[in-house]
Amino acid sequence: MAGSAYAPPTGLRRERPRRPSGHARGPRAVVPLAAVAVAFTLAQLLLVRPGMGLGWDETVYVSQVSAHAPAAFFSAPRARGVSLLVAPVTAWSSSTALLRVYLAVLSGLGLFLALRTWLGLFPVRVLAVGGALFATLWVTLFYGPQAMPNYWVAVGALAAVACFLRARADRTDRPALWGLAACAALMALMRPVDAVWAVLPLLALGLPRHRRRTLWVLLAGLAAGAAEWVAEAYARYGGLGRRLSDGSAIQGGLGWHFAVVDQLRSMGGRALCRPCTGELPNPVVAVWWFTLPVLAVLALAVAVRARRTAATAVPLACAATAAFPYLFLIGYAAPRFLLPAYALLAVPVADLVCRPVSGPRRTWRPLAVTLLCLGLAAHLAVQLAVLRDTVDRTTASHRAWSRTASALHDLGVRPPCLLTGHEAIPVAFYAGCSSAATKGHNANATTAGIVRTAGRVPVAVLVARGTRVPRYARDWPSAPGGEVRLYYAVPGSGAAAGG
């Protein structure tokens, strides 16, 4: 394999490796990677409608820095990285379409930078294919332009592993060390606990005494990114241990839960599977999910045989630890949870996929290439079909929240105002109101406090079909509001609050 496009940069030796032509890192090498990133950005803008509206979690993150609505309750597991990410737009504009375009462009740039860090570790064509494999998953396209943290943990983890490998192979590669610290900080800023799971193998590899420089750099990056989250734990949640405990409780109590089947159910396009019941998706939809770990194992076997183990084994190990808590430690599922694992698997799997094209010419090569192209085309068709259905379904639910907000405005419930009840958090954002809950994971108010507020500003209770109206609101006037019944009190309008 020496001198071929698949020859690695001399394992993890300390001297600067000689890179063969297949590992070129000049300006021309980035063109295919840039093309993948641009195509990814355009696909998001075309397939995930910029006017889709914001989802529940998005409204929480965006409201923290938005001039459009008061900040929603910020529960213990959340981190403020997404709020900082969207602040340049949401601080002055309430346009969801503008926010989607901004995030789509930013996510394309993030993918490009993450792939670029791998130059010199794999051939450019492998990196381009790996980027395309990751970018064409429906879950990547769907969450790339959303104000959610998982995609950013994914690209941060992908780049962090490459920076780690480069720094270990060449002690003079200072940009790799800075990149490792920056990627660790990005992941911890977005989701501190997920960041630790994603880099566990890197922390373990940094333990030997003569290789601890990467360990200290990695720990420094994690600490910098998580500093605000830890400080907030003591300022608002009663300490770090209490925040971690509250976060575990909100997630159903972290412990042994076999969530593999739950994740499989979510592969059909369910944004959140909690409780995760119902039928499994069509096998055609899920076949790629079962194929991915098999391809990963084959990629590792090929890498070991070719004596270039590290560049394949390390991202695979990080993918395994990143996925582990969401497959075995929580009792529900969401497809976005596994985005870091998919990103880390993409490059090693692409290396395996590219071998029939780049290997020596044999009589079976045309057949292998044809079958590979057909398989990838079928895979892409499935991903686009799931994405289309998911976008349609999500858009419909977001429009229902918008209609409820419009109904509230027609009833006189306008800012400043307060909403409570069924799906009050997202509806409150759409209506420009505050939200309150007296029980559950987002509890931040008392019944007495809500009643007092109703004497000063408009208050509405959103009651879903088949649920009871709170006692304090039973005498309030009511009206239909889409999927819910609206019980409201508007001071000075005759719809006065009762006790």
Side-chain angles (χ1 to χ4, degrees):
M1 298 297 294
S4 73
Y6 281 77
T10 58
L12 295 180
R13 292 206 302 258
R14 294 183 182 181
E15 66 271 12
R16 183 180 297 276
R18 294 180 58 190
R19 297 183 179 90
S21 60
H23 295 281
R25 298 179 68 182
R28 291 181 60 185
V30 303
V31 173
L33 309 184
V36 170
V38 170
F40 174 52
T41 299
L42 293 176
Q44 293 175 72
L45 297 175
L46 292 173
L47 301 174
V48 185
R49 305 179 190 118
M52 185 175 65
L54 296 179
W56 184 314
D57 292 289
E58 288 185 290
T59 63
V60 175
Y61 290 120
V62 171
S63 69
Q64 309 302 310
V65 290
S66 175
H68 169 69
F73 177 74
F74 206 74
S75 61
R78 301 186 188 277
R80 298 190 180 271
V82 172
S83 299
L84 294 176
L85 185 73
V86 302
V89 172
T90 58
W92 58 272
S93 174
S94 62
S95 171
T96 301
L98 179 62
L99 179 61
R100 293 278 186 241
V101 172
Y102 164 75
L103 289 173
V105 173
L106 211 58
S107 62
L109 177 61
L111 179 62
F112 169 74
L113 293 176
L115 293 174
R116 192 178 185 279
T117 60
W118 283 87
L119 286 173
L121 296 169
F122 283 96
V124 175
R125 61 176 172 273
V126 169
L127 302 180
V129 172
L133 289 175
F134 176 63
T136 53
L137 293 176
W138 76 263
V139 63
T140 310
L141 285 165
F142 186 67
Y143 284 104
Q146 293 199 39
M148 297 291 281
N150 309 85
Y151 174 82
W152 297 102
V153 176
V155 293
L158 180 62
V161 171
C163 290
F164 179 87
L165 291 170
R166 286 172 48 196
R168 293 286 294 274
D170 183 1
R171 293 181 62 86
T172 66
D173 194 343
R174 293 190 177 275
L177 289 174
W178 284 105
L180 177 61
C183 293
L186 172 65
M187 289 188 288
L189 187 64
M190 294 295 171
R191 287 186 73 89
V193 177
D194 284 13
V196 174
W197 280 104
V199 300
L200 273 181
L202 305 186
L203 294 172
L205 289 171
L207 288 176
R209 180 176 298 179
H210 63 287
R211 292 177 174 174
R212 287 184 182 171
R213 184 171 66 159
T214 52
L215 175 63
W216 298 127
V217 169
L218 186 57
L219 289 174
L222 292 174
E228 188 280 332
W229 194 82
V230 173
E232 188 179 44
Y234 288 97
R236 295 185 54 187
Y237 297 95
L240 181 59
R242 178 63 182 273
R243 186 169 196 177
L244 290 170
S245 176
D246 289 350
S248 174
I250 288 172
Q251 293 176 309
L254 295 181
W256 181 255
H257 297 282
F258 187 76
V260 175
V261 178
D262 295 341
Q263 284 290 347
L264 179 59
R265 286 194 176 98
S266 74
M267 284 298 104
R270 299 173 67 175
L272 181 64
C273 195
R274 186 179 190 183
C276 207
T277 57
E279 297 181 356
L280 294 173
N282 189 304
V284 174
V285 171
V287 66
W288 73 272
W289 201 68
F290 289 105
T291 304
L292 190 58
V294 176
L295 294 177
V297 172
L298 291 175
L300 180 59
V302 170
V304 171
R305 185 178 180 182
R307 297 181 181 179
R308 48 180 177 79
T309 307
T312 297
V314 175
L316 293 182
C318 290
T321 58
F324 182 82
Y326 292 113
L327 294 176
F328 302 107
L329 295 183
I330 65 172
Y332 64 98
R336 59 187 171 87
F337 292 162
L338 297 182
L339 272 171
Y342 299 149
L344 290 162
L345 291 170
V347 172
V349 168
D351 185 23
L352 179 70
V353 167
C354 288
R355 292 189 68 80
V357 179
S358 58
R361 293 183 177 275
R362 300 181 185 274
T363 56
W364 50 263
R365 181 176 171 183
L367 177 60
V369 172
T370 300
L371 292 176
L372 177 62
C373 291
L374 290 175
L376 292 175
H379 170 70
L380 180 60
V382 169
Q383 297 302 308
L384 294 179
V386 175
L387 177 66
R388 180 196 61 207
D389 293 343
T390 305
V391 170
D392 290 344
R393 186 168 56 252
T394 303
T395 301
S397 67
H398 294 177
R399 286 176 178 171
W401 291 338
S402 181
R403 288 193 296 269
T404 301
S406 297
L408 287 166
H409 290 167
D410 292 341
L411 296 171
V413 182
R414 302 187 184 92
C417 47
L418 177 70
L419 303 186
T420 186
H422 181 68
E423 297 185 333
I425 289 179
V427 175
F429 180 85
Y430 280 76
C433 302
S434 299
S435 58
T438 59
K439 57 184 179 180
H441 301 318
N442 297 303
N444 63 342
T446 63
T447 298
I450 294 174
V451 172
R452 286 195 301 271
T453 302
R456 302 191 307 270
V457 300
V459 173
V461 181
L462 285 61
V463 180
R465 294 189 184 96
T467 60
R468 297 173 119 187
V469 182
R471 181 175 300 177
Y472 63 83
R474 289 175 184 171
D475 295 331
W476 293 1
S478 68
E483 302 295 323
V484 296
R485 187 84 183 172
L486 306 175
Y487 290 78
Y488 60 99
V490 181
S493 68

